[in-house]
Amino acid sequence: MAEGPKIPAEVEPLLVEEDEGSERANVTSGSHTSSRVELRPKNNATSERWLLLALCAIILLAVGLVFGIYFAPVVRSPPDSYLAWQKLLKGEDEWVSDKLMKYIKKENIERHLRYLTSRPHVAGTPIDKVNAEYVMNELLKSGVDSAEVIPYDILLSYPDLNNPNKVQILEEDGTVIFTSHLYETPVTPDEDVSDIIPPYNAFAPNGTVEGEVVFANFGEVDDFLRLERELNINVTDKIVLVKYGKIFRGSKVKFAQEAGAKGVIIYSDPESVALNGVDDVYPDSWWLPGTAVERGTLWELYGDPLTPAYPSIDGAYREPEDTVLEHLKIPVQPIGYTDAAHILSQLGGAEAPKDWWGTLNLTYRLGPTLNNNRRVRLEVGNRNQRNYTYTAVGTFKGSLEPDRYVILGNHRDAWVLGALDPSSGTAVMLEVARAIGQVIREDEWQPRRSIMFCSWAAEEMGTLGSPEWVEEHIKTLADNGVVYLNVDIAVEGGFSFIAKATPNLHQVLYNATKKIKDASCPDKSVYEIWLERNPSEDKKQPKVDNIGSGSDFIAFMSAAGISSMDFRYKYNRTSMPSLIQYPAYHSLHDSFSYVKKFVDPDFLYQQTIARVWAELARVFADSLILPYDCIEYGYQMKANMAKIKLRYGAEISERGLTFDFIDKSLDEFVITSQQFHEYINTMEQNDPLAIRKVNDHLMYLDRAFLDPAGLPGRPLYKHVVYAPSSRDIYSGDAFPGLVDALFDIENSKHPDNQWKEVEKHMSVLAYFIHGAALKLKAALQ
């Protein structure tokens, strides 16, 4: 048995019993009572020797401590402030890119898409909130630091379910001989669902009109000018029949109304949606059946119509409905090409120009008369009502710059099942969030800046949801918004990647797509296939379109001045130039089966879009210096201004006006942007404050182009360099205020006033371009 520690002979143990009342008396362990052991010295001499030894030990210890403090080498940990300073200078974690590519799973995208397309989800209906909560819960599962569902009370538009809109052909005595289909015909099991809203155009006013019909091709402004000036057809007090395609449907209605029409019928001609003929259609191919109808809004602006420029929250002032919608005065209804053929076959009058003909098996005539004095009745029973709609937002908080927001967005609402538009984008976004969360959780990545995922509502009725959120948070976004990365439709074909973006984002988009394999050709990158199949005019880079409207980036650009982009995969537009959108666009047939059978059966294209989106989010969230390219912005502005000069230069010179001041400002901007990037490339990146200063100037560039007064006649659109075209909001114009003022100026009723507007806006452009150059110069001081 091992011996315990020995007690010096001079000390003997004594048992000392505690008083009964003592706190330390009767300390028990189990059922035994223990007593305290106290050591006491035997005699005083021994005690004195021990005291002397203890005193010596204390003196030696003190001497040692003094020697150690003053003479020994000092090893100290750096202060917390120094470590924090160094951390702020940390570059991006590029290894995260490979992890994200690995973690993004196409099976998860397919699972989300199957759920999201299981029932119709029109904005403002009960499923709107259900799906918003689904998105929020999926974001929480991904590990976001916060998530919420935000309601907005906005004006929406619906048809009368008890009396659906219709188009009829009447005999001279009023007998109805034809009525258009009230609903589309389901052709697959997943289309045979309840709660389908019949075809209509949102915000078309209710009313019933009867009369003659004029066929007006695509309803572009040039088509109406041709009817009047060349074909001698007056559309005043007539119902106009136009084809879908070329331009935004609301623009067609606006031009028809301006020409004097009293109603508009819109249809999709087989030339655009059934290229193999009307007998080879879905479900046998991806082409559109004859009873299918493209729904869509007529609202040309953005945001809640009743609260322009302000969020539709409690306490908001709301404009009178008849005031904000007064420009929409005539009833409008979309129909399928089977129904349109009944009307076209009844039209009399001269044959339409051959370049206006579609591919229906009939003679396309202009009207306005119908055979046997028949007439057409257009009956629309739409109603507008305020409903709550819901935005879902989830955020991964940045580790170093949590007040800087990289924002990813997609809208969630659809006209019916909405598989491609927009649920492919929603499913992809949820998988990007999950993959980012996995890298953060499993690999301990800490993005420098915050990453926000936003699921918008009510985009289909006129981009109504996202602007309300932007307007509510405009002060924060103006100061802290880094970039907005939008995916509306992830895939509508597998030919090529396409994109639209502000010019300062072109290069970062090229770099991201160079790192990711293309879904159609795995031995090449997305960038390589993009360059081969959709090159720019000079063939040196892939084509990136001007950013216009038609999706949720519009408020970020036009109100907050945040650089934005939108991208997707698309079909071959060169071989199918008449196909403006994929055939099932906004119809019942945009279903899960449609995607699975004809568009992206293996979900490889959606997976590729997810990888591009995730890589862009990573770069913007983690780069020490934000990856903007101000030089390209200058080059693109000069190239776009050169196109305006080519078109209108002679007329402008004849009026005694000059581009000199604009050219001077453009040259100044290009030179300054080159100096700015040279400064960035050569600066010592050892000062977090200097880094922050540079990044501020990079991300504020588009803010410098915001005119508080807005574009002439369009105060909500404040960006003077890029905005939707006033003749087609789907496309983007460069220098839109100037393009608007110059358009058809030779036929203006008040040309002098219009030329004054041209002169004024040329001055405005020179000022804002100069101001943007000064903004960059400030970073060099």
Side-chain angles (χ1 to χ4, degrees):
M1 182 175 178
E3 296 182 357
K6 292 183 178 180
I7 298 174
E10 296 84 353
V11 180
E12 65 175 2
L14 295 176
L15 288 177
V16 180
E17 296 294 337
E18 296 280 3
D19 296 334
E20 277 190 20
S22 170
E23 290 182 6
R24 300 176 64 96
N26 300 319
V27 177
T28 61
S29 175
S31 59
H32 299 284
T33 301
S34 64
S35 299
R36 179 167 58 89
V37 178
E38 186 175 290
L39 301 183
R40 290 185 178 177
K42 278 186 174 182
N43 54 58
N44 291 337
T46 302
S47 177
E48 289 176 358
R49 284 197 300 272
W50 277 103
L51 287 172
L52 181 61
L53 287 171
L55 181 61
C56 291
I58 291 170
I59 293 171
L60 289 172
L61 179 61
V63 172
L65 288 172
V66 171
F67 181 84
I69 292 172
Y70 287 99
F71 299 100
V74 178
V75 179
R76 299 177 182 173
S77 297
D80 291 343
S81 59
Y82 176 80
L83 292 175
W85 186 269
Q86 289 301 109
K87 194 174 183 181
L88 286 169
L89 298 171
K90 181 183 75 71
E92 63 183 296
D93 294 318
E94 294 190 11
W95 58 267
V96 173
S97 180
D98 292 335
K99 293 286 186 180
L100 288 171
M101 301 306 107
K102 175 183 176 182
Y103 291 161
I104 290 172
K105 305 296 184 184
K106 59 189 179 68
E107 295 80 8
N108 293 331
I109 298 172
E110 182 174 356
R111 173 174 58 84
H112 287 307
L113 188 67
R114 188 182 295 275
Y115 169 82
L116 291 165
T117 57
S118 61
R119 46 195 165 174
H121 41 290
V122 177
T125 60
I127 196 65
D128 186 345
K129 186 177 182 182
V130 171
N131 280 355
E133 291 173 344
Y134 173 82
V135 169
M136 181 188 70
N137 289 331
E138 290 298 317
L139 291 174
L140 288 170
K141 290 178 187 177
S142 297
V144 294
D145 295 290
S146 63
E148 61 180 335
V149 170
I150 309 162
Y152 291 103
D153 179 5
I154 63 179
L155 186 70
L156 300 171
S157 175
Y158 306 96
D160 184 350
L161 301 183
N162 296 319
N163 185 25
N165 302 342
K166 61 180 72 74
V167 177
Q168 297 176 319
I169 299 177
L170 311 179
E171 293 283 14
E172 187 175 8
D173 63 3
T175 302
V176 176
I177 62 171
F178 167 77
T179 298
S180 61
H181 287 80
L182 303 183
Y183 286 87
E184 297 159 290
T185 304
V187 296
T188 60
D190 59 346
E191 296 174 357
D192 192 10
V193 295
S194 59
D195 299 326
I196 292 176
I197 292 180
Y200 76 112
N201 287 127
F203 294 110
N206 58 28
T208 299
V209 294
E210 293 183 12
E212 297 178 323
V213 176
V214 172
F215 174 57
N217 196 24
F218 286 104
E220 295 181 277
V221 64
D222 289 339
D223 294 329
F224 285 103
L225 292 177
R226 189 174 181 184
L227 281 169
E228 178 188 353
R229 299 172 185 176
E230 179 183 329
L231 301 173
N232 298 315
I233 299 291
N234 186 351
V235 303
T236 300
D237 203 34
K238 304 293 192 296
I239 297 171
V240 169
L241 176 65
V242 297
K243 297 181 288 186
Y244 266 122
K246 299 286 189 181
I247 62 172
F248 173 60
R249 70 191 72 80
S251 300
K252 300 172 188 286
V253 175
K254 179 175 71 174
F255 301 144
Q257 184 173 286
E258 290 173 350
K262 64 180 178 181
V264 177
I265 302 168
I266 315 177
Y267 80 101
S268 299
D269 197 277
E271 70 171 348
S272 299
V273 296
L275 271 61
N276 292 346
V278 298
D279 295 324
D280 182 18
V281 295
Y282 189 68
D284 299 321
S285 72
W286 85 322
W287 301 111
L288 197 66
T291 64
V293 181
E294 176 186 324
R295 297 153 177 82
T297 188
L298 303 182
W299 181 244
E300 281 197 295
L301 301 177
Y302 64 85
D304 177 20
L306 302 183
T307 61
Y310 297 95
S312 53
I313 56 179
D314 291 344
Y317 173 77
R318 286 173 167 80
E319 300 286 347
E321 182 181 324
D322 57 354
T323 300
V324 296
L325 298 177
E326 65 179 352
H327 61 290
L328 295 171
K329 299 177 180 178
I330 58 178
V332 183
Q333 177 64 14
I335 59 175
Y337 59 78
T338 296
D339 292 340
H342 284 275
I343 301 172
L344 287 165
S345 65
Q346 292 288 329
L347 281 185
E351 288 189 9
K354 291 296 184 183
D355 57 332
W356 284 20
W357 284 40
T359 55
L360 288 168
N361 187 24
L362 50 81
T363 299
Y364 286 76
R365 296 186 178 276
L366 295 172
T369 59
L370 279 75
N371 296 338
N372 300 318
N373 294 320
R374 291 169 180 149
R375 62 189 184 276
V376 166
R377 175 191 290 159
L378 169 60
E379 187 175 323
V380 175
N382 295 350
R383 72 189 192 283
N384 302 326
Q385 66 182 64
R386 282 171 52 186
N387 272 359
Y388 276 103
T389 190
Y390 300 89
T391 285
V393 179
T395 305
F396 290 103
K397 187 176 180 180
S399 60
L400 300 177
E401 298 182 74
D403 63 332
R404 291 291 194 254
Y405 303 107
V406 176
I407 305 169
L408 287 68
N410 156 267
H411 78 88
R412 190 184 60 256
D413 64 299
W415 288 112
V416 195
L417 301 174
L420 293 176
D421 182 11
S423 299
S424 63
T426 308
V428 165
M429 186 178 76
L430 290 175
E431 179 59 7
V432 171
R434 190 204 61 78
I436 288 177
Q438 186 175 355
V439 179
I440 292 173
R441 182 176 62 256
E442 296 183 5
D443 301 292
E444 298 184 350
W445 177 48
Q446 294 181 310
R448 181 185 191 94
R449 303 175 186 92
S450 294
I451 305 174
M452 301 184 74
F453 292 87
C454 301
S455 175
W456 312 117
E459 188 272 352
E460 294 294 5
M461 291 201 193
T463 319
L464 306 184
S466 55
E468 301 313 303
W469 186 84
V470 171
E471 289 161 357
E472 183 176 12
H473 299 277
I474 190 68
K475 301 302 181 183
T476 300
L477 292 171
D479 289 341
N480 305 94
V482 174
V483 70
Y484 179 63
L485 309 173
N486 190 71
V487 173
D488 188 318
I489 304 169
V491 57
E492 51 179 323
F495 181 70
S496 175
F497 183 89
I498 65 167
K500 56 178 71 172
T502 47
N504 51 347
L505 303 182
H506 289 191
Q507 192 58 53
V508 68
L509 187 55
Y510 295 151
N511 292 343
T513 52
K514 287 177 181 178
K515 299 179 67 172
I516 298 163
K517 298 300 181 184
D518 191 81
S520 67
C521 190
D523 60 337
K524 291 186 177 182
S525 68
V526 173
Y527 175 88
E528 290 173 300
I529 297 297
W530 185 14
L531 178 59
E532 288 176 14
R533 298 178 180 178
N534 191 22
S536 60
E537 290 181 7
D538 61 9
K539 311 295 184 184
K540 294 180 180 179
Q541 296 279 23
K543 182 181 180 181
V544 181
D545 291 322
N546 290 338
I547 197 158
S549 184
S551 195
D552 291 290
F553 49 76
I554 183 60
F556 287 91
M557 274 286 294
S558 293
I562 295 175
S563 301
S564 303
M565 70 168 71
D566 178 89
F567 51 90
R568 66 187 66 176
Y569 266 98
K570 201 168 181 77
Y571 50 82
N572 188 346
R573 292 183 290 182
T574 302
S575 66
M576 297 181 285
S578 63
L579 182 58
I580 307 303
Q581 303 284 359
Y582 61 95
Y585 178 71
H586 287 187
S587 76
L588 169 65
H589 307 301
D590 187 2
S591 62
F592 182 86
S593 296
Y594 187 82
V595 176
K596 188 70 175 172
K597 191 172 182 180
F598 294 112
V599 182
D600 191 13
D602 298 319
F603 285 78
L604 293 174
Y605 291 94
Q606 291 168 82
Q607 182 183 46
T608 303
I609 289 294
R611 287 171 171 166
V612 173
W613 210 357
E615 173 63 9
L616 288 165
R618 180 198 69 81
V619 170
F620 276 103
D622 218 29
S623 296
L624 182 61
I625 302 289
L626 289 169
Y628 289 110
D629 183 359
C630 302
I631 298 173
E632 181 65 16
Y633 215 123
Y635 289 158
Q636 289 294 324
M637 285 196 294
K638 293 196 78 168
N640 284 311
M641 188 57 68
K643 293 178 182 178
I644 294 176
K645 290 179 183 179
L646 185 64
R647 171 65 180 84
Y648 297 105
E651 297 168 73
I652 287 175
S653 295
E654 290 175 4
R655 296 290 299 193
L657 302 179
T658 176
F659 285 96
D660 288 352
F661 295 106
I662 291 178
D663 290 339
K664 181 180 178 181
S665 294
L666 286 170
D667 290 339
E668 178 190 20
F669 183 91
V670 169
I671 293 171
T672 303
S673 64
Q674 291 170 340
Q675 293 171 342
F676 179 55
H677 279 281
E678 183 179 354
Y679 169 75
I680 292 174
N681 294 334
T682 58
M683 69 181 292
E684 292 186 14
Q685 297 182 4
N686 57 6
D687 182 354
L689 297 179
I691 298 296
R692 179 84 165 195
K693 177 182 177 182
V694 163
N695 282 337
D696 283 351
H697 284 80
L698 284 166
M699 73 183 214
Y700 289 157
L701 177 60
D702 271 299
R703 272 75 139 187
F705 294 119
L706 294 183
D707 185 347
L711 296 176
R714 297 197 287 167
L716 284 181
Y717 297 97
K718 301 183 184 302
H719 203 292
V720 300
V721 180
Y722 292 105
S725 166
S726 63
R727 293 169 306 285
D728 174 20
I729 68 168
Y730 280 163
S731 65
D733 273 342
F735 306 113
L738 184 57
V739 171
D740 285 349
L742 288 166
F743 178 75
D744 202 33
I745 196 169
E746 65 275 14
N747 295 305
S748 172
K749 295 178 181 179
H750 306 285
D752 289 339
N753 292 340
Q754 200 164 332
W755 275 111
K756 288 180 181 178
E757 190 61 52
V758 169
E759 182 179 10
K760 178 181 178 180
H761 200 69
M762 291 178 75
S763 173
V764 168
L765 288 176
Y767 163 74
F768 275 99
I769 297 168
H770 169 64
L774 292 179
K775 180 69 176 173
L776 295 181
K777 282 182 182 178
L780 307 178
Q781 299 172 357

